[in-house]
Amino acid sequence: MRFMMLMIPKGYESAAPGTMPDAKAVEAMMKYNKSLNDAGVLITLDGLRPPSEGARVSFPGGKPKVTDGPFAEAKEVLGGYWMIDVKSQAEAIAWASRCPGSENETIEIRRVQEMEDFPPDVQKAAEGFTEMQKR
């Protein structure tokens, strides 16, 4: 089963453009990342730049509207993510619990919807999706 572990750092929603993590925190996180990799459960991972450098596209009335960051209404934003492949949610929780996060960080764990989770009509409507994932 694939799970996405989403890092949600408090305060990142108002971080200035170009904000970078502390080298010691990165060093500790790299040890954790290496343990995920060495265990063979890591699929991919990335850190995300602050929302002040991002944009959001919403669709009021079905038409696209672009809002540049920062986003005044944001209370929680993503700082990065890991995609892992483990046997259960309990195992994903165990891996997240080993993360060297600080007291201002939360990891949200979400299971990826696999094609076989969907009924046949939805699988048919999503024909070609699996091939897109491989690119």
Side-chain angles (χ1 to χ4, degrees):
M1 285 181 246
R2 292 182 301 155
F3 287 86
M4 184 167 266
M5 301 190 308
L6 307 162
M7 177 60 81
I8 305 169
K10 288 182 187 151
Y12 205 49
E13 65 278 359
S14 59
T19 298
M20 293 291 157
D22 174 74
K24 287 214 180 278
V26 171
E27 185 178 345
M29 195 62 72
M30 283 305 298
K31 287 180 183 174
Y32 172 69
N33 294 340
K34 186 174 180 336
S35 69
L36 288 165
N37 192 57
D38 290 350
V41 300
L42 183 64
I43 297 171
T44 190
L45 71 161
D46 274 304
L48 301 172
R49 297 191 70 113
S52 56
E53 296 182 40
R56 287 184 176 176
V57 179
S58 56
F59 299 89
K63 300 198 185 293
K65 175 186 171 195
V66 178
T67 305
D68 291 326
F71 313 110
E73 70 283 356
K75 292 186 173 128
E76 292 182 338
V77 298
L78 297 180
Y81 67 90
W82 300 264
M83 180 73 76
I84 61 173
D85 189 356
V86 294
K87 291 182 174 66
S88 66
Q89 183 169 332
E91 187 177 351
I93 291 168
W95 276 109
S97 299
R98 293 176 57 186
C99 180
S102 68
E103 64 183 28
N104 74 324
E105 294 170 320
T106 299
I107 296 176
E108 181 176 329
I109 300 164
R110 306 274 301 276
R111 184 169 172 210
V112 174
Q113 284 190 310
E114 304 292 355
M115 194 54 67
E116 58 269 11
D117 296 336
F118 294 104
D121 63 327
V122 175
Q123 289 184 31
K124 183 170 175 38
E127 214 165 35
F129 181 78
T130 305
E131 290 75 25
M132 288 179 190
Q133 288 179 305
K134 295 176 184 170
R135 295 183 183 169

